[in-house]
Amino acid sequence: MKRDLSMIGLGLYTPVEAAALTHVEPPKIRRWLCGHVIGDKTYPALWKSQLEKFDMEQLHLSFLDLVQLRVAKAFIEAGLSPQKVRRAIEFGSEIVASDYPFASARFRTDGKTVVLHVLKTDGDEELIDLFSQGQYLMQKVIEPSLKNLEFDEAETAARWWPLGRGKGVVIDPQRQFGQPIDDATGVPTSVLAEAAKAEGSPALAAKRFMVPLASVHRAVAFEQQLAAA
């Protein structure tokens, strides 16, 4: 697909690429972002991708979609239904003044308010008791799903270090359309890993791309981890 230059800074991921990074299956990603129908009941999308305005033929996700996806997954695994997650996003958008409340640093402090508001509206006493424990919400849901994120001055997720900053692999929507890259060189990890395979060794790949050997080793290790997940 030809990439529109106006998408620069947003990130661009297919459902398959997003699935590899977030561990949410592609069909589920499509249901969450596009909605679906079961029998005579229609389930609306949990939220709409900010790339929808580009009128692409198939679903694509932005970097903020990727971040919000991780948090939505954590909430659903903790017991919230997708419908309740959708309402949490709607209410959270008002609280943190962002279309992507789950990708906001403010959600660390305001998340409990958002979740309990939704649960009390539904009267789900069991989950109310569970999520009223702020420590549970932080340790089990919010902190793990926001781990290794960097936020900008507007408190919005700006970069993601999937293995931790010290490992040198970053997902930055301002670089390479948000594909995982070796931070030191800016080369996508997939490119370096594929080069190592094609050339027969990391050393030859490093020579071909004129990058440090450590960059190729990082890329290969990261891509192997993605493939194994």
Side-chain angles (χ1 to χ4, degrees):
M1 182 191 72
K2 184 177 180 180
R3 301 189 175 187
D4 190 329
L5 291 179
S6 59
M7 294 180 185
I8 292 175
L10 298 181
L12 183 65
Y13 311 89
T14 66
V16 171
E17 290 171 333
L21 294 167
T22 64
H23 310 302
V24 179
E25 300 87 350
K28 191 171 290 186
I29 291 174
R30 294 186 180 92
R31 290 198 300 272
W32 290 359
L33 271 72
C34 299
H36 63 288
V37 177
I38 298 179
D40 60 354
K41 188 167 181 59
T42 298
Y43 295 89
L46 305 192
W47 74 93
K48 293 290 187 180
S49 170
Q50 67 182 145
L51 298 182
E52 193 176 60
K53 63 184 178 181
F54 292 100
D55 195 29
M56 291 180 281
E57 293 182 2
Q58 297 179 342
L59 173 66
H60 285 78
L61 288 76
S62 70
F63 175 75
L64 292 182
D65 288 318
L66 208 65
V67 175
Q68 188 141 283
L69 195 65
R70 295 177 70 215
V71 183
K73 172 179 181 281
F75 274 121
I76 289 171
E77 289 178 344
L80 289 185
S81 68
Q83 292 73 36
K84 289 174 184 175
V85 170
R86 175 172 53 80
R87 289 195 286 276
I89 291 171
E90 292 171 350
F91 184 64
S93 295
E94 300 175 10
I95 296 294
V96 306
S98 168
D99 290 336
Y100 284 85
F102 292 176
S104 169
R106 283 189 57 191
F107 204 75
R108 282 195 169 105
T109 54
D110 296 327
K112 182 179 176 181
T113 299
V114 171
V115 173
L116 290 182
H117 171 84
V118 170
L119 291 177
K120 287 176 180 177
T121 300
D122 288 349
D124 194 330
E125 296 299 330
E126 184 176 349
L127 286 179
I128 289 172
D129 289 343
L130 182 64
F131 283 100
S132 63
Q133 303 171 34
Q135 199 67 13
Y136 173 88
L137 193 66
M138 291 298 293
Q139 290 183 352
K140 300 295 184 180
V141 180
I142 296 179
E143 284 301 335
S145 54
L146 295 182
K147 185 178 180 181
N148 297 327
L149 286 175
E150 265 186 60
F151 296 86
D152 60 20
E153 293 180 357
E155 297 187 289
T156 300
R159 278 169 295 282
W160 175 21
W161 302 84
L163 303 179
R165 187 159 189 166
K167 298 298 184 180
V169 172
V170 67
I171 297 173
D172 182 344
Q174 300 290 339
R175 303 168 71 184
Q176 297 286 354
F177 286 92
Q179 295 303 301
I181 61 173
D182 171 60
D183 181 49
T185 63
V187 181
T189 55
S190 60
V191 171
L192 291 177
E194 185 59 34
K197 182 178 179 181
E199 297 290 339
S201 74
L204 290 175
K207 183 176 181 180
R208 174 184 169 190
F209 279 89
M210 295 183 289
V211 299
L213 180 57
S215 293
V216 181
H217 281 304
R218 279 195 293 268
V220 170
F222 176 72
E223 290 295 323
Q224 287 176 340
Q225 182 170 320
L226 279 187

